[in-house]
Amino acid sequence: MKMRAGLAVAAGLVLVSGCGASGLETGAGTVEKKTAEAFLTTAESAWHRQVDDESNKNLSAEARCYFVTGADGNKSLGTVACGPLRRLGSAERQVWDVARIETTGGDKPGLELPEDEPWKISQVRPDSSELWRPDDKKAADDADVLAAPPAPAAPAGLTQVSDQSQTFDLKPAGDKLVVPDGTLTLKGIATPETIGSGAEVRAPASGEKFIAAVFGTAPTMDPLTGRELVDPASGDAKAVATKWTVTVGGQQRPVDILPDAAGSAVVPERTLIASVPKDATEVLLTATNGPVVQTLSLTTGKRTSTTAAAFYRTGTMATLNKSVPTKSITLGYSFRSKFSYSLGRAALMPWDPAAGWAPDGQTWIRVELKSSLEYTFLQYDKSWADPMLTATADGTSVGKSAGVNSPEADIIAIAVPAGAKSVQLKAQPRLNFTSNSFSPHNSPKSGTAVYPTLTATATFG
């Protein structure tokens, strides 16, 4: 804050006899009492012109300007302090605006504020100092602990997500919401009286309260490939962006929970703040991805939905490690082939990059497949019989998979009941072949090569 330059009061303007030691003692001599009074009155008027129009402050009704002196009374420490005035965001005791003063020369010294030198606002009174005025008016005993001004109200219905850290009295919470394009993990929830800090502190709008949730985000990983389940750059038609909303009663408030795809997918800490009616008993964070809706309570910190259950189960990975060594098959004079394959790991997941969400009440068992085929491809066209892999879940046969179910797939997905514990897998590779038009003398013209069957059991928690 800057005051108008050139504020000065010379001793010659006010003639006082007999003031002597009753004035302000400075290094250049004693400034007579009335000269000091005149300077202080002028400085105070200039200070008020600066601060009276400030918003978000608590200006004491007894605010005035003082000379800052030593503990012995009226020996100047070279500054003037005006207040008490506590601004929004200032700490306790930071209630004084302080300016340096200089004495003018002459037989009877005067006082002035250095030209174009800004005041130091919201300062703490120096230790071992006194506030002195020529009229002997004293600062109140509690002047240094002037109360903070009330925080201004935030907009009604405020709902925002920020990466800026705030200090809350958090109730620990660790539940998650997992969707294909990201995972939210709660760290804690709170109902703070105010949000923000410093001059940006805000109170709830009238009739509302704040709900705060601190959380981190990370990509949802594919346990079979070790890569992100959804590649933002892939353009996969099955990868629908999740819509996030804060649900208060019947109101849906959109929020951006996951970071921008152009930035880092891992954000250790984000903060969601919602201003909701004081009588709201439940506030939900809702994640909608395609047909699947999931919810998390911002009042309890608990997941309240039961959809996409396999994302939250433990023991959803199984190691199969079953393989068939290379099998050679020759049919007739022309068709020759060599084929081997193996089943690696199996995972239960409610969403598959190729198939999307599993049907209601079901989840995908996704099975790793590796294979190698050599055959007389110059003479024959081929196609694998579908399905190659079938499943029986807890003793009940299930339907065939969605997508490719042949050795040409790296991962085969089959829908099984969401609560499946034991899944028996049976692989029966069958290669159908037909002579192409370039090889009229092939023998046989067509046929099916049947390779060894492989069985495996995946057991889940």
Side-chain angles (χ1 to χ4, degrees):
M1 181 178 74
K2 291 186 177 181
M3 296 298 186
R4 181 173 57 85
L7 175 62
V9 178
L13 298 179
V14 182
L15 298 178
V16 183
S17 61
C19 289
S22 64
L24 180 69
E25 297 181 22
T26 71
T30 299
V31 177
E32 293 182 346
K33 182 176 182 179
K34 286 196 174 181
T35 301
E37 282 181 337
F39 170 81
L40 209 57
T41 298
T42 305
E44 190 171 299
S45 296
W47 177 70
H48 271 288
R49 286 194 298 271
Q50 294 289 330
V51 303
D52 285 354
D53 291 335
E54 289 185 17
S55 59
N56 302 327
K57 67 179 184 299
N58 183 7
L59 177 62
S60 171
E62 298 180 357
R64 55 179 68 93
C65 293
Y66 302 85
F67 292 108
V68 182
T69 66
D72 56 350
N74 60 343
K75 186 173 183 180
S76 174
L77 297 182
T79 56
V80 63
C82 299
L85 163 63
R86 188 161 176 186
R87 294 176 173 86
L88 183 67
S90 62
E92 189 174 83
R93 307 185 71 82
Q94 293 180 344
V95 296
W96 301 103
D97 291 350
V98 177
R100 190 170 65 86
I101 56 175
E102 294 178 340
T103 54
T104 59
D107 294 336
K108 294 183 178 181
L111 297 168
E112 66 178 5
L113 295 172
E115 187 173 355
D116 292 330
E117 184 171 315
W119 287 52
K120 295 179 179 179
I121 66 171
S122 300
Q123 301 294 299
V124 176
R125 189 202 312 188
D127 293 335
S128 302
S129 68
E130 295 291 337
L131 300 177
W132 178 81
R133 287 176 58 91
D135 58 10
D136 290 328
K137 290 181 178 178
K138 305 294 186 183
D141 292 339
D142 59 355
D144 290 309
V145 291
L146 186 67
L158 172 73
T159 306
Q160 65 180 27
V161 174
S162 171
D163 292 335
Q164 183 176 0
S165 179
Q166 298 195 43
T167 301
F168 296 128
D169 183 15
L170 288 177
K171 172 186 174 182
D175 270 20
K176 299 181 178 183
L177 279 184
V178 184
V179 289
D181 48 341
T183 296
L184 173 151
T185 302
L186 269 185
K187 293 186 174 182
I189 55 176
T191 53
E193 293 184 1
T194 59
I195 59 172
S197 61
E200 301 302 318
V201 68
R202 294 293 181 268
S206 177
E208 296 192 347
K209 64 182 177 181
F210 287 134
I211 296 288
V214 178
F215 62 93
T217 65
T220 301
M221 304 303 292
D222 187 330
L224 297 182
T225 66
R227 299 189 298 268
E228 294 182 25
L229 192 57
V230 173
D231 180 359
S234 69
D236 187 347
K238 297 293 184 182
V240 179
T242 301
K243 296 179 181 178
W244 297 85
T245 57
V246 172
T247 304
V248 187
Q251 186 183 44
Q252 298 277 343
R253 305 179 187 176
V255 286
D256 293 325
I257 292 295
L258 300 178
D260 189 282
S264 172
V266 178
V267 179
E269 184 172 300
R270 309 195 87 192
T271 302
L272 167 64
I273 295 172
S275 186
V276 302
K278 281 185 177 180
D279 59 359
T281 57
E282 183 63 283
V283 180
L284 296 176
L285 178 62
T286 303
T288 303
N289 187 284
V292 175
V293 178
Q294 301 185 66
T295 54
L296 179 72
S297 172
L298 297 178
T299 56
T300 66
K302 299 295 184 181
R303 186 169 59 93
T304 55
S305 56
T306 57
T307 52
F311 273 147
Y312 307 97
R313 279 181 63 176
T314 58
T316 56
M317 288 286 292
T319 300
L320 306 175
N321 282 345
K322 292 294 186 72
S323 62
V324 170
T326 301
K327 172 67 175 180
S328 297
I329 292 180
T330 299
L331 296 176
Y333 174 77
S334 304
F335 182 84
R336 294 180 299 278
S337 70
K338 293 180 179 180
F339 178 67
S340 62
Y341 71 103
S342 64
L343 303 179
R345 296 170 298 168
L348 294 180
M349 294 186 68
W351 191 87
D352 176 79
W357 289 102
D360 287 345
Q362 296 185 302
T363 193
W364 301 116
I365 180 171
R366 302 174 68 234
V367 182
E368 280 182 320
L369 172 67
K370 293 182 179 179
S371 67
S372 175
L373 172 68
E374 298 178 16
Y375 78 106
T376 46
F377 64 92
L378 293 177
Q379 297 170 264
Y380 290 96
D381 297 325
K382 68 166 177 64
S383 64
W384 289 100
D386 188 329
M388 168 195 170
L389 188 67
T390 56
T392 300
D394 297 327
T396 302
S397 296
V398 296
K400 70 175 185 178
S401 68
V404 178
N405 188 337
S406 78
E408 293 181 348
D410 295 321
I411 295 174
I412 295 176
I414 302 174
V416 298
K421 297 282 189 179
S422 178
V423 180
Q424 293 75 43
L425 300 166
K426 185 176 183 179
Q428 296 175 297
R430 293 170 295 161
L431 182 66
N432 299 318
F433 59 89
T434 303
S435 179
N436 59 40
S437 58
F438 303 105
S439 307
H441 303 296
N442 282 347
S443 175
K445 298 294 184 181
S446 63
T448 299
V450 180
Y451 299 101
T453 297
L454 185 62
T455 59
T457 299
T459 302
F460 302 104

